[in-house]
Amino acid sequence: MPAKIHPHKRLNKLEGLEKWIYVVGILGPVLTIPQIIKILINKTAVGVSLISWAWYFFASIIFLIYSYKHKLKPLIIAYWAWILVCFIIVIEILIYS
């Protein structure tokens, strides 16, 4: 039978994850910027799904509320960023479809 890991040691291993969650949480929305730029430059949203991006926007709002309720700062930051990029893409789709 494997030795049990003390709960505090498990938490220490997760502290490194805490730092990465900020990077990952911001990187996703930042990597969506090329999609925003592509729609804006080409003035077309052909092939970009309004249903998908509207859902991502709605889901991000739900996750943001959850994050506030549980005081999860990294997720609050990440979902504000996602709400912003999703909102921009939804508006672009409505304008350029």
Side-chain angles (χ1 to χ4, degrees):
M1 184 150 130
K4 289 188 177 183
I5 299 173
H6 191 275
H8 295 295
K9 288 185 180 179
R10 248 186 267 138
L11 289 176
N12 287 341
K13 287 182 180 181
L14 292 177
E15 285 177 6
L17 181 62
E18 190 74 24
K19 295 173 187 169
W20 278 102
I21 200 71
Y22 285 98
V23 174
V24 172
I26 296 300
L27 198 56
V30 167
L31 292 174
T32 307
I33 293 172
Q35 179 71 69
I36 293 170
I37 293 170
K38 183 177 180 181
I39 295 170
L40 193 60
I41 288 174
N42 295 331
K43 302 208 182 312
T44 182
V46 172
V48 183
S49 171
L50 176 61
I51 292 171
S52 294
W53 284 101
W55 172 254
Y56 301 148
F57 177 72
F58 174 74
S60 294
I61 291 170
I62 300 300
F63 280 114
L64 180 65
I65 293 167
Y66 175 85
S67 300
Y68 271 114
K69 181 179 179 189
H70 293 281
K71 298 178 178 141
L72 302 169
K73 187 178 176 184
L75 294 182
I76 292 169
I77 294 168
Y79 283 109
W80 268 117
W82 273 116
I83 287 169
L84 178 64
V85 296
C86 291
F87 178 76
I88 291 169
I89 290 178
V90 166
I91 295 301
E92 285 183 327
I93 292 169
L94 292 173
I95 291 170
Y96 295 116
S97 287

